[in-house]
Amino acid sequence: MVRYISETSGDLLAMNTEARQRIRAMVTPNKGERIENKRSAKPRPALPRQLQGASEGFRQIVECLPIPLAVIRRADDIILYTNPALEALFGIDAAKLWNQGSDFFFRTLPVRRHLKTLFQRDGCIRGEDVKTSRRDGATLRLSVWQTLVACGDTECLLTMLVDVTEHRIAEEANEEQLAAVEQVLKWNDRERQLIAYEIHDGFVQQMLTALMQLDAYRWGLQEGRPNVEEKLDAVAEALRHGTAEARRLIERVRPPDLAIAGLVGALRTLTQRVSQSGEISVELSVDRSFPSFTPESETAIYRIVQECLTNVCRHSKSDRARVELRDGDQELKIVVQDWGIGFVPDSAVAGHYGLLGMRDRARLLGGRTEIESVLGAGTRVTLYLPREGQVIAPPPKQRRIR
């Protein structure tokens, strides 16, 4: 073991500050690797006189390294040595690791087979990402580096396990966020197409009707037709319908109540409007400490609640619904509940654009949706949002004056 530490000391001293550069510096060719690599490799300089024979000193260097490192006997995969960084990574003492099988590092058979195949094919492993777990069950994402070294007359695997868990989690979160953005953009494109269809089939038709009635009125005056004033009544009716349609379309783009009364006021108006329609009775309950949101967040939350109430009116057959805005210590909750016929969530979400849009809007805010439904007992949709700056609006005194 001491001899191994001495033979690898030059590599250990040459490591850079970056983890991967440190690892690459430690990985040196073995006698069994390609001849071309050996010919092209530059010879290592001799150790300084002060370090020659300082085996214990080199061991201290290895044990002070921040990179988790292990030496595994190749013949039977027995762990011969681990440094403190590796022991801290897995949460276990050296006494319980040494002379144990290396299966402890790679818990699943497919991962072990994959690594063995890579090593047999390439003669080393360079930065292969694998999943494993700590002793306490916490998931680890490791970048595995292995090369063959001679420890006396024993072939061993110099193994370095770089913890990339946080990096991979951040990458996956970014990918999920980008996927949510892309999906929301698709929903927005679809929404714009629907609005275009409704403008053509509704507002434009009303304006055309008014225009034709005006033409008829002008022709009637010229021809002296009786009751020509009735044409003006038809014009006025078409304009009234067109105005109502225009307001409805504007509300779909940006609910005017949000800019005037904020999220709570806009939801109060929405629930009152739904209740006054006579289809269902909607109750709104708001915690006094419920915070204000950024404009983008308010629009997304409003759309989610609006979609929920639309689904209640269309599908639930319930005579009442309840909207709750709850302020929690760790996160905020927006709940929409009905007491209707219910449905099977897994089968409905896949083909329901509204439910998918709710989920993606929530993800875009850094939150999540949870749908609970029981046949014959109603449905409960909960939107969970984090208490973060990108969602919560700053206090009034901290807002910029434009």
Side-chain angles (χ1 to χ4, degrees):
M1 183 64 209
V2 172
R3 179 182 175 184
Y4 153 70
I5 294 174
S6 299
E7 291 176 350
T8 57
S9 60
D11 292 331
L12 297 175
L13 292 173
M15 291 189 300
N16 297 321
T17 56
E18 293 296 327
R20 289 180 182 263
Q21 292 174 343
R22 292 200 300 265
I23 293 170
R24 289 192 179 96
M26 293 177 66
V27 177
T28 56
N30 183 266
K31 295 180 180 180
E33 295 184 3
R34 296 184 182 91
I35 297 176
E36 291 296 328
N37 290 342
K38 292 187 67 177
R39 288 179 178 173
S40 60
K42 294 182 179 180
R44 301 289 297 166
L47 288 176
R49 178 179 56 81
Q50 294 85 347
L51 296 180
Q52 292 178 5
S55 302
E56 188 60 31
F58 285 118
R59 173 170 179 167
Q60 292 178 8
I61 292 173
V62 172
E63 296 196 342
C64 288
L65 288 175
I67 300 173
L69 180 146
V71 178
I72 302 171
R73 190 162 57 209
R74 188 182 185 188
D76 52 10
D77 289 331
I78 294 297
I79 301 170
L80 299 181
Y81 171 81
T82 57
N83 69 347
L86 187 140
E87 296 150 20
L89 175 63
F90 284 92
I92 189 169
D93 294 336
K96 297 180 180 180
L97 279 174
W98 295 13
N99 297 319
Q100 302 297 319
S102 63
D103 293 357
F104 179 85
F105 298 147
F106 313 115
R107 301 299 182 91
T108 62
L109 183 60
V111 169
R112 295 196 294 270
R113 286 177 174 173
H114 174 64
L115 293 176
K116 185 167 291 187
T117 299
L118 285 180
F119 194 90
Q120 290 174 348
R121 186 190 69 188
D122 301 331
C124 64
I125 296 176
R126 296 175 179 270
E128 186 68 18
D129 282 6
V130 300
K131 278 187 179 181
T132 185
S133 60
R134 289 169 48 92
R135 187 183 183 187
D136 59 7
T139 299
L140 283 175
R141 302 286 291 274
L142 300 177
S143 179
V144 180
W145 299 73
Q146 277 189 337
T147 190
L148 200 61
V149 295
C151 299
D153 57 355
T154 303
E155 281 192 339
C156 295
L157 297 176
L158 175 62
T159 303
M160 286 149 284
L161 306 175
V162 182
D163 185 6
V164 294
T165 305
E166 293 185 1
H167 181 65
R168 293 292 176 261
I169 290 175
E171 281 187 343
E172 291 171 359
N174 288 337
E175 290 174 0
E176 185 175 344
Q177 192 82 349
L178 289 174
V181 170
E182 182 179 356
Q183 198 60 45
V184 169
L185 290 176
K186 289 181 180 179
W187 300 133
N188 289 341
D189 288 341
R190 179 176 174 272
E191 184 76 8
R192 284 194 290 269
Q193 290 177 356
L194 292 176
I195 290 175
Y197 294 149
E198 292 185 15
I199 290 175
H200 177 270
D201 297 339
F203 179 76
V204 172
Q205 298 304 317
Q206 296 293 341
M207 295 301 100
L208 289 175
T209 298
L211 182 60
M212 288 188 292
Q213 295 295 339
L214 283 174
D215 289 340
Y217 173 73
R218 186 183 299 109
W219 179 82
L221 285 178
Q222 294 174 352
E223 297 294 327
R225 298 286 184 175
N227 302 323
V228 71
E229 291 79 6
E230 294 178 359
K231 301 298 182 182
L232 290 179
D233 295 335
V235 170
E237 184 67 16
L239 291 175
R240 277 193 292 270
H241 284 297
T243 301
E245 181 70 11
R247 287 174 176 168
R248 187 181 68 83
L249 293 172
I250 291 172
E251 184 175 339
R252 288 190 61 176
V253 176
R254 166 69 176 173
D257 296 330
L258 281 176
I260 299 172
L263 177 63
V264 174
L267 290 179
R268 184 172 287 112
T269 300
L270 175 64
T271 54
Q272 290 174 353
R273 188 185 304 125
V274 174
S275 297
Q276 291 169 1
S277 69
E279 298 181 22
I280 59 171
S281 174
V282 183
E283 177 187 358
L284 176 64
S285 176
V286 184
D287 285 349
R288 294 177 64 89
S289 60
F290 197 77
S292 299
F293 292 85
T294 60
E296 297 79 7
S297 301
E298 286 185 340
T299 301
I301 295 168
Y302 183 91
R303 293 304 184 199
I304 291 173
V305 175
Q306 186 180 46
E307 178 65 25
C308 288
L309 292 178
T310 299
N311 291 336
V312 172
C313 294
R314 288 179 178 175
H315 309 297
S316 73
K317 298 184 180 179
S318 176
D319 59 354
R320 64 191 178 101
R322 180 180 175 88
V323 179
E324 301 176 1
L325 307 182
R326 298 293 176 229
D327 183 9
D329 294 335
Q330 302 297 327
E331 56 188 0
L332 306 167
K333 292 197 302 183
I334 294 93
V335 181
V336 180
Q337 184 171 4
D338 69 69
W339 289 264
I341 60 175
F343 64 95
V344 180
D346 292 339
S347 62
V349 171
H352 196 291
Y353 289 109
L355 296 178
L356 291 173
M358 287 164 42
R359 182 196 65 185
D360 291 323
R361 288 182 191 275
R363 289 168 56 192
L364 195 58
L365 297 176
R368 69 187 191 280
T369 54
E370 184 178 283
I371 301 176
E372 305 168 90
S373 187
V374 178
L375 293 176
T379 301
R380 179 185 178 94
V381 178
T382 306
L383 168 63
Y384 296 92
L385 293 175
R387 278 187 160 278
E388 295 180 357
Q390 65 177 8
V391 176
I392 305 298
K397 63 180 180 180
Q398 296 181 8
R399 296 178 186 171
R400 281 191 310 176
I401 299 176
R402 298 183 178 179

